[in-house]
Structure formats: C-alpha cells, structure tokens
Amino acid sequence: MPDRPFLNDPSPDGERPAGEVPDALFDLAVNRADAALRGLRPADPARALSQWHARTRFARRVPLAAVSGALRQKPQEGGEWHWVGGPGGGWAEGKAPFP
C-alpha cells in the first residue's frame, strides 16, 4: 500500500494562488525546504523535496520547480545562508530573519 499522507495527489506545479506569490512566502518556502533537506540528508534529495513540498501546506502555494531552482543556486561555501527577495531574489549570508 502506498504512503498517502495527504488526500489529494500533490501537484508539482503547486496550488495556483489567487495572485502572485508574496516574496515573504517564497523566501519562507525556500528556506524551510533547505532546512528540511539539511536535516534529512536524503539519498534522493529530489524525491525528498517533492514529498516535503506535498506535505507542507504553505509551500504548495509556491511551484516546486521554483523552490528547486532556488535551492540549486545555493552557494557551496560553508556557513549560514538564507534566501531573500522572492522569486527574483538570491542567497544572502547569515540566518533568515524568521524561521
């Protein structure tokens, strides 16, 4: 029996918001996805990200491809990094202003 932690099948495009995704919501989705992957250290990060996205209610408002694209841009240098600036933003050194 497959694992179905949600009632509806997840959409890789996310849920369609009524308008543009607010920058703060996009930032939160990227930063929380990054934290989840760091904590899980999965063998298959793409699958883990897809499952996280499907299970995280607020994150489904942000397309999975956009979150994934932002995560691929994360600098490989050590230290703390966080995403800021919405879909057109980028990675900044330091901790995110909110969890």
Side-chain angles (χ1 to χ4, degrees):
M1 175 171 256
D3 177 25
R4 292 192 46 99
F6 28 77
L7 298 176
N8 300 318
D9 289 327
S11 168
D13 295 328
E15 295 175 358
R16 297 290 178 201
E20 285 187 34
V21 175
D23 287 352
L25 181 62
F26 187 92
D27 296 352
L28 182 64
V30 173
N31 291 324
R32 290 274 179 93
D34 181 50
L37 291 177
R38 276 193 331 265
L40 294 171
R41 299 176 192 217
D44 183 357
R47 184 170 188 266
L49 179 62
S50 177
Q51 290 175 338
W52 173 86
H53 186 264
R55 288 181 173 129
T56 307
R57 191 172 188 171
F58 77 87
R60 291 191 310 246
R61 291 191 52 215
V62 180
L64 177 57
V67 174
S68 181
L71 291 173
R72 283 193 302 273
Q73 296 175 39
K74 185 176 181 183
Q76 297 302 309
E77 298 129 26
E80 289 274 343
W81 292 91
H82 68 279
W83 184 271
V84 64
W91 291 96
E93 268 191 283
K95 289 187 175 194
F98 52 89

